[in-house]
Amino acid sequence: MKRIIISALAAILVLPSCKKLLDVQPESVLSREQAYRNVYDADAAVLGVYGKFMSLAKPYVLLNELRADLMSPTVNADRFLQQLNDHTATDDNPYIDPTPFYQVILNCNDVMVNFDKMLADKKLKVDEYNQRYADVATIRSWVYLQLGIHFSKDPQGTVGIPYITNPLTTIADVKNDSNYRYLPFQQLLGELIKTMEKLPTKEMYSSNTTLITNVDQYRTDKFFVNKKVLLGDLYLWNAAYDPSSYRKAATMYRQILSYYDDKGSDLTQKNYWKLIGAPDPSTGNQLAVQYVRYRENDINSLYESNTEGWRSMFSRGKVNYDQQFDWEWIWVLPFSSNFSPQNPFIDLFSNINGSYLVKPSQVAVDNWNSQKQVNLFPFDARGKFTYKSINGQPVIMKYLYYYMDGNSFIPSINANARSGEWWLYRAASVWQHFGEAANRDGYPKLGYAITNYGIKTTYTPPSPPTDVTNIMQTFLPAPYDFDARNGDNPQYRAIWRDMNGFRGRASLQARTIVGSDSTTQVENMLTDEGALELAYEGQRWSDLLRIAIRRNDPSFLADKIYAKLSKDNTAGADAARAKLLSKNWYLPFKWK
């Protein structure tokens, strides 16, 4: 089976479909009789979808980050990247071509139809079908969500995008509007939610599934999209139109965050996807901002390696995924020097053997430098790990630690070894969205706890009693019920005791609520913390747009983009702000 998976990754299986959209070469196409004979062929089809999906890594990051406020083009960027940055994209801009997204969608449609046939012909068992069909359907839904966030036939998004669920076989089919509907974003969300709710399973692949193995030093269990996280995101977006969806979103997220509550050792239960981390290295946790000489308050002793500290989550999977990598990461796709597609991020970000096209915005840099740690150090160390100054230029580093040494900046192996990762879902991103849902569902104190120092600290009174029975826990209904007790009178060791919040794991001073509008303030805090923790991981534009839609306040988005463009001395800052204030948020949809 390992050989089959390696072969599928090396020569991505392309199934027959629209030739222009799929760019099929005849010699690469397998007949259906060859392609769908048994479960191993079904596995190859799934991996073929993921291979095609990986071509979206570059547009995903650029559309969600360069259009937002944390990323800027360098002097090397062409006019098309400049257009993304200042919101003047024209139809001929190659970065806004929806074709690669629909290549994935048409592959998914084809595979799903053939999985239905395999089940009917008893070539797949029910469980085999359920897992693989649900996986491919979820990838399709993820791609559609991205299309809905970014594209429309009209500037205000009232027409939307083509929603294609049937396999199309000719270019005429694709260009014939009668074969599908154009759905505006709200209607698209409804269709995607119905699809996801009807999946035959929402669980992750079981460990005995033939797709779960090791390939090229990677465990494949991190390869596959998490269905509940995506459904949670769909509910979170839909809550702008239906507030009951906030609790549905939180329920999906909580099922993931609690997945290991009753599995494995106590170490696994209290650490897996729990937003853990404390600044004192004696705790044994290495996913927080930490100092070697923490108690001596030595600013020069910051942990900065592939195996220790907050930075290590972006490098500790370099040889193989380890335990603490698993504690943070939910969905990661690897780029290998041996397989297609090639890693796009080295060329995009690196000024050593790369084109160095984008960099941190001045707004992002100022955000990190304006924070204060509990030991009074005047910066957020996450910024020091997220970007570096190399040869006098600010370089985004999250995608480069596999490629170059994080301290010497020398390529780790050689200029041709261009492995790396596409970071998609991790514990922090799920916690941010869970906190967003909880806050809007009427529980801003819980959102505040997630932003700051966790359940145990937030739900402990200023003068705590000796008996911890009735503190350090939320006493809220599901999915907001958390027990973080850790005490000895009587002894409690609750699973959530080490959940430390965003600012706790970064060793930053807690934020405070001013006045009475705690819901808006907590939402702002969560959004700001997302910028500090999750920069360049592909969710910034989505987060800003979702809140602007929810509040019916385009200035929430427009002012942040304006601040970036102004600080970067971009000539079109005023025009961009005016455009976004008019709710002209969408890129033009045009078949290339």
Side-chain angles (χ1 to χ4, degrees):
M1 179 55 195
K2 181 178 178 180
R3 182 178 62 81
I4 292 172
I5 290 181
I6 292 174
S7 175
L9 289 172
I12 299 301
L13 177 65
V14 180
L15 302 173
S17 193
C18 167
K19 286 193 175 183
K20 179 173 181 181
L21 285 178
L22 295 181
D23 195 21
V24 172
Q25 298 299 318
E27 63 271 15
S28 71
V29 179
L30 300 178
S31 70
R32 298 190 186 282
E33 291 75 16
Q34 292 172 305
Y36 292 106
R37 298 165 299 182
N38 52 44
V39 67
Y40 300 111
D41 289 343
D43 289 349
V46 171
L47 290 169
V49 166
Y50 276 88
K52 202 70 174 175
F53 174 75
M54 289 181 71
S55 68
L56 303 183
K58 183 176 179 179
Y60 171 72
V61 171
L62 285 175
L63 294 182
N64 282 296
E65 299 294 345
L66 190 54
R67 297 184 73 207
D69 60 336
L70 306 179
M71 181 185 286
S72 297
T74 69
V75 294
N76 299 333
D78 61 20
R79 65 185 178 92
F80 296 118
L81 286 174
Q82 295 284 351
Q83 287 178 358
L84 282 187
N85 181 64
D86 57 22
H87 294 269
T88 58
T90 52
D91 287 353
D92 61 337
N93 189 315
Y95 296 106
I96 67 168
D97 182 4
T99 302
F101 293 86
Y102 281 92
Q103 290 175 342
V104 178
I105 287 168
L106 293 183
N107 264 355
C108 290
N109 292 345
D110 194 282
V111 169
M112 291 161 67
V113 165
N114 281 283
F115 282 176
D116 285 341
K117 293 177 181 176
M118 292 180 77
L119 179 65
D121 294 340
K122 301 189 184 310
K123 293 179 180 179
L124 284 178
K125 299 175 183 177
V126 173
D127 285 348
E128 294 170 342
Y129 166 87
N130 287 349
Q131 293 180 77
R132 290 157 184 80
Y133 183 95
D135 190 3
V136 175
T138 304
I139 283 289
R140 188 182 70 180
S141 296
W142 186 97
V143 175
Y144 267 128
L145 176 60
Q146 288 301 309
L147 285 165
I149 288 168
H150 294 290
F151 292 93
S152 180
K153 286 282 285 184
D154 67 315
Q156 267 68 44
T158 57
V159 177
I161 61 164
Y163 186 60
I164 306 172
T165 57
N166 296 318
L168 301 179
T169 57
T170 69
I171 189 63
D173 289 337
V174 173
K175 291 193 172 183
N176 184 352
D177 286 359
S178 67
N179 286 327
Y180 46 79
R181 296 172 290 162
Y182 276 83
L183 296 184
F185 190 43
Q186 184 178 354
Q187 291 181 37
L188 177 67
L189 287 173
E191 292 294 330
L192 298 180
I193 287 170
K194 284 192 291 186
T195 295
M196 293 297 295
E197 288 178 338
K198 292 178 181 178
L199 291 179
T201 179
K202 297 180 185 66
E203 301 303 323
M204 295 178 280
Y205 281 113
S206 59
S207 59
N208 61 357
T209 305
T210 49
L211 279 164
I212 303 302
T213 184
N214 290 278
V215 178
D216 194 36
Q217 294 187 313
Y218 291 98
R219 296 194 332 259
T220 59
D221 59 319
K222 298 289 182 186
F223 282 21
F224 304 107
V225 62
N226 190 291
K227 305 168 191 67
K228 292 182 180 179
V229 176
L230 177 62
L231 183 52
D233 286 347
L234 292 170
Y235 285 138
L236 190 61
W237 279 97
N238 194 59
Y241 314 105
D242 174 13
S244 69
S245 291
Y246 286 122
R247 187 157 302 194
K248 293 178 181 178
T251 299
M252 287 295 103
Y253 297 138
R254 177 61 186 272
Q255 288 181 23
I256 294 305
L257 299 174
S258 294
Y259 183 78
Y260 285 92
D261 284 5
D262 58 354
K263 297 176 178 64
S265 66
D266 176 69
L267 187 69
T268 295
Q269 292 176 11
K270 77 184 185 71
N271 286 297
Y272 227 110
W273 302 338
K274 297 292 194 290
L275 198 62
I276 52 173
D280 186 345
S282 67
T283 64
N285 175 260
Q286 303 296 339
L287 297 179
V289 171
Q290 297 179 341
Y291 293 84
V292 177
R293 292 177 291 280
Y294 170 74
R295 298 188 186 282
E296 290 80 9
N297 213 33
D298 184 349
I299 197 170
N300 296 313
S301 67
L302 187 66
Y303 270 119
E304 188 168 1
S305 73
N306 288 341
T307 58
E308 295 172 311
W310 186 87
R311 196 203 87 178
S312 71
M313 72 177 73
F314 303 101
S315 56
R316 64 189 312 136
K318 188 171 183 177
V319 176
N320 207 335
Y321 301 145
D322 67 2
Q323 183 183 57
Q324 294 194 39
F325 186 94
D326 289 346
W327 291 349
E328 181 70 19
W329 288 103
I330 298 172
W331 186 21
V332 175
L333 280 166
F335 291 99
S336 171
S337 301
N338 300 321
F339 303 138
S340 254
Q342 291 186 347
N343 180 358
F345 296 129
I346 295 169
D347 189 62
L348 192 63
F349 297 122
S350 180
N351 63 354
I352 300 176
N353 300 321
S355 296
Y356 184 55
L357 300 176
V358 293
K359 63 181 181 180
S361 69
Q362 191 60 48
V363 160
V365 172
D366 291 347
N367 285 345
W368 283 306
N369 290 340
S370 65
Q371 307 301 313
K372 185 174 287 186
Q373 297 180 43
V374 293
N375 52 17
L376 303 184
F377 295 164
F379 58 86
D380 184 340
R382 292 173 296 184
K384 291 182 176 293
F385 300 140
T386 301
Y387 80 96
K388 296 284 187 181
S389 179
I390 303 177
N391 298 328
Q393 297 173 314
V395 174
I396 294 169
M397 287 295 296
K398 279 186 177 178
Y399 298 89
L400 299 180
Y401 287 116
Y402 282 40
Y403 169 66
M404 64 171 62
D405 183 271
N407 298 308
S408 70
F409 312 128
I410 297 172
S412 301
I413 305 174
N414 59 64
N416 295 318
R418 303 171 78 83
S419 62
E421 304 274 15
W422 180 12
W423 311 114
L424 285 153
Y425 292 158
R426 61 182 173 105
S429 53
V430 177
W431 274 106
Q432 185 202 4
H433 288 171
F434 177 82
E436 185 181 326
N439 177 56
R440 281 286 170 176
D441 198 27
Y443 301 103
K445 184 176 181 179
L446 180 54
Y448 179 88
I450 292 165
T451 303
N452 289 282
Y453 271 76
I455 307 298
K456 181 171 63 179
T457 299
T458 304
Y459 288 86
T460 295
S463 300
T466 302
D467 186 340
V468 300
T469 303
N470 295 311
I471 62 173
M472 302 182 186
Q473 52 191 315
T474 62
F475 293 110
L476 295 175
Y480 308 122
D481 49 328
F482 292 92
D483 184 350
R485 287 174 291 177
N486 187 25
D488 296 309
N489 294 298
Q491 187 180 77
Y492 286 100
R493 296 291 184 270
I495 288 175
W496 298 93
R497 63 188 182 272
D498 289 338
M499 184 273 179
N500 208 33
F502 284 114
R503 296 184 76 78
R505 84 183 326 192
S507 192
L508 295 179
Q509 294 180 356
R511 296 180 185 269
T512 57
I513 300 289
V514 179
S516 59
D517 187 4
S518 59
T519 298
T520 299
Q521 289 184 67
V522 168
E523 189 166 80
N524 291 340
M525 288 180 188
L526 284 162
T527 307
D528 292 344
E529 210 58 36
L532 300 169
E533 172 81 21
L534 299 162
Y536 317 123
E537 295 177 40
Q539 71 174 54
R540 185 60 175 173
W541 174 264
S542 300
D543 285 347
L544 299 182
L545 178 62
R546 183 173 57 255
I547 294 172
I549 292 173
R550 172 184 302 145
R551 296 182 182 181
N552 192 26
D553 179 10
S555 68
F556 179 83
L557 171 63
D559 288 350
K560 286 181 168 53
I561 308 307
Y562 176 77
K564 176 186 82 166
L565 298 178
S566 296
K567 282 196 173 185
D568 289 348
N569 296 314
T570 302
D574 289 320
R577 182 176 185 272
K579 181 178 183 179
L580 295 171
L581 282 174
S582 71
K583 298 185 180 181
N584 189 339
W585 295 325
Y586 297 98
L587 296 168
F589 185 95
K590 185 175 182 180
W591 293 116
K592 300 295 190 288

